[in-house]
Amino acid sequence: MSTTRMETFLVVARHSSIRRAATQLHITEAAVSAAVAHIEKQLGAKLIAKAGRGITLTEAGRIYAEYCRSILGLMNEAQAAVRHAETGRLRIGVVATAGEYVLLRPLAAFRNRYPDIELSLSVNPRDVLFLELHHHETDLVIAGRPPRDAGLVTRARRPSRLVVVGAPDHRADPLRTTWLLRGRGSGTRDATLGLLDQLQISPPTLTLAQGDGLVSRPCSSRAR
């Protein structure tokens, strides 16, 4: 199976659109459709289906996409290992909070101690990072609460405390004041929503969506 076709299929799966995939890959829509059709013919299974103006993955398509990510991740890992056999490479995935407050000092110390190691850094929500780790797309993740029964090895831990903050000039009513949340998949977001559930309140929220700006949700008339 061609790696180029697998990469094309993953872009289609990510965008749920032949047209958007073709735009990102800078090829024609016909070429994208042909690549997907070729894979379907080889596998003897339907991988995509029409859904409104776009497409959706079938169950076979979702399974194949998972394998594609793992295969391509391992291939990239193998190529990098060969290219950097004498020096090495470390791919680090980190959540935004850890990237701002935890990583900088140890990263600088690591760079000073191992100047020949090639470092790469990706900043993503926690769920995305652990998915990348599962698919061999990163080597080390710095985040909170790894998924259970994932077979991961935790090498270091440190305590973390979250504090609710607001404007200093007045005491805000937590029932009516807008709460600022991180995007979906964030551990900070989950902790905040857990607090609101514990307090049995449902105030309006404003989400810092990943790459999409702000998403506002009004308060509910019913407590959480």
Side-chain angles (χ1 to χ4, degrees):
M1 189 72 69
S2 165
T3 57
T4 301
R5 291 194 180 99
M6 285 193 286
E7 290 168 348
T8 299
F9 177 74
L10 284 180
V11 177
V12 172
R14 188 179 308 120
H15 291 290
S16 298
S17 168
I18 297 290
R19 179 179 57 81
R20 288 196 293 269
T23 300
Q24 178 178 327
L25 295 169
H26 304 290
I27 59 178
T28 65
E29 294 182 33
V32 174
S33 297
V36 175
H38 183 87
I39 297 172
E40 290 180 328
K41 183 177 180 181
Q42 283 195 312
L43 295 177
K46 196 69 175 175
L47 302 180
I48 62 174
K50 290 185 177 180
R53 294 185 177 181
I55 60 170
T56 187
L57 296 182
T58 64
E59 183 60 27
R62 284 189 287 271
I63 293 172
Y64 183 68
E66 289 290 307
Y67 275 100
C68 283
R69 287 191 67 175
S70 294
I71 291 169
L72 293 173
L74 282 170
M75 291 183 68
N76 290 334
E77 189 176 286
Q79 291 170 3
V82 171
R83 287 197 303 268
H84 304 286
E86 301 299 323
T87 57
R89 181 190 68 165
L90 179 62
R91 300 169 300 176
I92 303 174
V94 61
V95 294
T97 304
E100 295 170 2
Y101 301 108
V102 178
L103 182 65
L104 296 182
R105 185 171 295 178
L107 190 63
F110 183 91
R111 169 61 73 193
N112 290 333
R113 186 172 180 180
Y114 303 103
D116 294 329
I117 299 293
E118 178 189 332
L119 291 174
S120 63
L121 183 67
S122 65
V123 181
N124 279 304
R126 179 193 58 181
D127 292 354
V128 174
L129 292 176
F130 285 119
L131 190 60
E132 289 179 349
L133 190 63
H134 173 74
H135 289 295
H136 305 275
E137 295 169 347
T138 191
D139 305 307
L140 170 69
V141 165
I142 302 176
R145 291 183 294 177
R148 295 179 180 178
D149 304 321
L152 301 176
V153 177
T154 302
R155 292 296 187 189
R157 291 189 178 96
R158 63 179 292 178
S160 175
R161 184 177 68 169
L162 300 179
V163 179
V164 178
V165 298
D169 56 343
H170 67 284
R171 290 183 174 272
D173 181 354
L175 291 174
R176 296 181 176 85
T177 301
T178 298
W179 289 60
L180 186 64
L181 303 176
R182 288 193 180 273
R184 296 186 182 278
S186 162
T188 304
R189 175 191 177 90
D190 291 345
T192 304
L193 293 179
L195 173 64
L196 298 183
D197 281 336
Q198 182 180 347
L199 297 174
Q200 296 185 329
I201 62 176
S202 185
T205 61
L206 191 63
T207 296
L208 295 170
Q210 185 73 11
D212 295 324
L214 299 174
V215 178
S216 177
R217 183 183 68 81
C219 61
S220 170
S221 59
R222 179 175 59 86
R224 293 179 61 88

